[in-house]
Amino acid sequence: MRYLIQIFFLFLVLNEAVFAQKLSSTCVLTGVVKNRNSDTLYIRKSTQDLRAFLENPIKIPIHKGVFDYKLSFSETEAFELIFQDELENGSWRPILFFPFLGSVQFELHPQKDWGNNKVIGGELNKNYALFRSINQFKFQSAKNQLYQIRDSLIRANAYETESYLQIFKDMRLLKQGDHEGRVPLYQKSDEMEKTGSRYTDLAKQYYINPLDSLMREEFDWKYKYITSHISLSNYYLLWADVMRVAKDNRIVAQYIREVFPLFQKKFPLHSYTKSIVNQLNGLQKVALGNSYLDVKAFTLEGDTMKLSKAIGGKVTLINFWGSWCGPCIAKMRLIMPLYDKYKNQGFEIVGIAREFQNLTAVKNRIKMENYSWLNLVDLDDKLNVWNKYGINNGVGMFVVLDQQRKIVAIDPKADELEALLGKLLL
């Protein structure tokens, strides 16, 4: 009996932070807004998809430069305050904070003076401010010098190559709503970005390469810092890098894989943990030569279905898309002729749409675009399909499988897919 009691208390100690996170709590937010005429703030969880957030945002009125709000939360995580007028103008800079059972005070300034914003109250907000202060002290001066060099290159028309600038000149000539015409231009700009041909030799020598070196130095310092300071505020920093940086930066991805187990052990049931596990699995497993991830999604009738039930021995393109995603729809219009040409020769498509609130829009879009293949859906990210596939952008993804269900292409262009089909369907 004594042994069982000891085990019980040990369990409580190890999971104290987790239990505390799951209890519903209230944090009082109070603040002053200086030198701006904004009348409304929004509150957003940093983990919340922007499109879902915009469907039904929490609004805080600002009256005579003062606001207050009682925020209910069930898990300690990062939240953001966003000025409504900035959001409506399409350029906003959120003010991040961590709620707790107590009060957080804000002093908020115009966007040009964003660095003067103050968030006071709670240990996590103090920790986050300390990280930002040290980080800025170590790296901001060098960054500012490089930004000045970049701006000088831009003024001298020596920053981006003429071929890259021509892409956007061509884009401006397209008619409004011509998504199909934009897709090859977006693809070309992405290729030039990845290969480095976007920038002039001068830009590479004096800005791009020095900035890359500085960023590597900053990430090295950052991960040493958060490794020695295990807290939820630093867990947010890790989560943000997983979602926004790791996919395109192998060095950061490796740092994350090394450090994540420490946070996972400390916060095993936190939503950051589940999100990071899914994202890292997706980044690691969704690769050429690997088998696809067998996930569940909803049918349009509301039942759940495993992807494996939809994939047989055919060459299959899994189309991750959404009714709200113009580039997704435009890319698929370029694929449609290939589907019509090869569907009777062993080529299949399965759609998995990411949708919000209801299925009305996706059903209308499927009918409008004549998507005659099986279409599944993940409503409000309930099944977390995009995260599991490591998709953290707003333009979806193509994943192509061969007859043995191995991944043979990721986001191929229409001509690349046709060449691939010509080989696989011989």
Side-chain angles (χ1 to χ4, degrees), residues 253-290:
Q254 184 57 39
Y255 279 134
I256 290 168
R257 290 189 179 96
E258 293 172 359
V259 174
F260 173 56
L262 301 175
F263 286 87
Q264 185 179 27
K265 183 178 180 180
K266 178 72 173 180
F267 307 105
L269 301 182
H270 197 280
S271 58
Y272 288 165
T273 301
K274 180 179 179 181
S275 178
I276 293 172
V277 166
N278 286 333
Q279 193 76 10
L280 291 181
N281 284 340
L283 291 174
Q284 181 176 352
K285 294 180 180 179
V286 181
L288 298 182
N290 288 355

Side-chain angles (χ1 to χ4, degrees), residues 44-58:
R44 175 195 177 200
K45 285 184 182 181
S46 292
T47 54
Q48 186 179 19
D49 179 84
L50 182 61
R51 187 168 299 274
F53 155 72
L54 291 174
E55 294 285 352
N56 188 29
I58 298 174

Side-chain angles (χ1 to χ4, degrees), residues 172-388:
R172 284 192 290 272
L173 296 176
L174 296 175
K175 294 181 180 180
Q176 186 174 3
D178 185 2
H179 295 300
E180 291 176 70
R182 281 177 169 76
V183 166
L185 295 176
Y186 283 135
Q187 290 175 335
K188 186 177 180 180
S189 68
D190 286 343
E191 283 183 8
M192 295 188 74
E193 179 76 51
K194 291 175 182 177
T195 60
S197 55
R198 168 182 174 178
Y199 305 103
T200 66
D201 290 339
L202 279 175
K204 292 176 185 176
Q205 180 179 353
Y206 293 105
Y207 176 69
I208 300 299
N209 294 339
L211 181 64
D212 285 345
S213 297
L214 181 62
M215 294 303 294
R216 284 195 294 271
E217 182 183 345
E218 182 178 8
F219 278 119
D220 183 62
W221 170 82
K222 177 180 180 179
Y223 278 88
K224 288 178 181 176
Y225 179 91
I226 68 174
T227 300
S228 60
H229 299 81
I230 305 295
S231 71
L232 276 172
S233 59
N234 289 331
Y235 204 8
Y236 162 77
L237 298 172
L238 179 68
W239 172 85
D241 279 351
V242 171
M243 302 304 293
R244 302 165 190 167
V245 182
K247 186 175 182 180
D248 299 313
N249 191 316
R250 293 182 180 180
I251 295 174
V252 174
Q254 184 57 39
Y255 279 134
I256 290 168
R257 290 189 179 96
E258 293 172 359
V259 174
F260 173 56
L262 301 175
F263 286 87
Q264 185 179 27
K265 183 178 180 180
K266 178 72 173 180
F267 307 105
L269 301 182
H270 197 280
S271 58
Y272 288 165
T273 301
K274 180 179 179 181
S275 178
I276 293 172
V277 166
N278 286 333
Q279 193 76 10
L280 291 181
N281 284 340
L283 291 174
Q284 181 176 352
K285 294 180 180 179
V286 181
L288 298 182
N290 288 355
S291 297
Y292 72 106
L293 294 177
D294 191 12
V295 294
K296 287 183 179 179
F298 295 108
T299 66
L300 296 179
E301 293 71 36
D303 300 320
T304 57
M305 179 179 181
K306 272 199 165 187
L307 184 57
S308 55
K309 287 195 173 182
I311 297 175
K314 295 183 177 182
V315 177
T316 303
L317 183 150
I318 308 172
N319 176 29
F320 296 93
W321 70 293
S323 63
W324 44 268
C325 177
C328 300
I329 296 165
K331 286 195 301 181
M332 183 48 66
R333 287 176 183 170
L334 299 176
I335 300 299
M336 285 289 285
L338 299 181
Y339 179 68
D340 293 335
K341 181 178 179 179
Y342 292 100
K343 64 182 179 181
N344 294 325
Q345 300 179 40
F347 177 48
E348 188 56 88
I349 295 176
V350 175
I352 303 181
R354 186 188 190 203
E355 297 296 315
F356 302 97
Q357 289 196 318
N358 59 63
L359 301 182
T360 301
V362 71
K363 288 181 178 180
N364 289 339
R365 179 56 65 177
I366 288 170
K367 184 177 180 180
M368 185 183 305
E369 301 294 326
N370 193 28
Y371 291 173
S372 57
W373 48 80
L374 175 66
N375 284 282
L376 304 174
V377 65
D378 188 5
L379 189 63
D380 295 325
D381 289 329
K382 291 177 181 176
L383 300 176
N384 221 13
V385 174
W386 276 36
N387 186 236
K388 290 176 181 176

Side-chain angles (χ1 to χ4, degrees), residues 12-54:
L12 288 181
V13 169
L14 291 175
N15 291 275
E16 179 180 0
V18 174
F19 291 146
Q21 292 162 4
K22 299 305 179 182
L23 297 176
S24 180
S25 303
T26 300
C27 181
V28 178
L29 312 180
T30 60
V32 295
V33 178
K34 296 190 173 184
N35 302 319
R36 62 184 300 164
N37 297 320
S38 306
D39 60 10
T40 305
L41 282 164
Y42 288 167
I43 295 183
R44 175 195 177 200
K45 285 184 182 181
S46 292
T47 54
Q48 186 179 19
D49 179 84
L50 182 61
R51 187 168 299 274
F53 155 72
L54 291 174

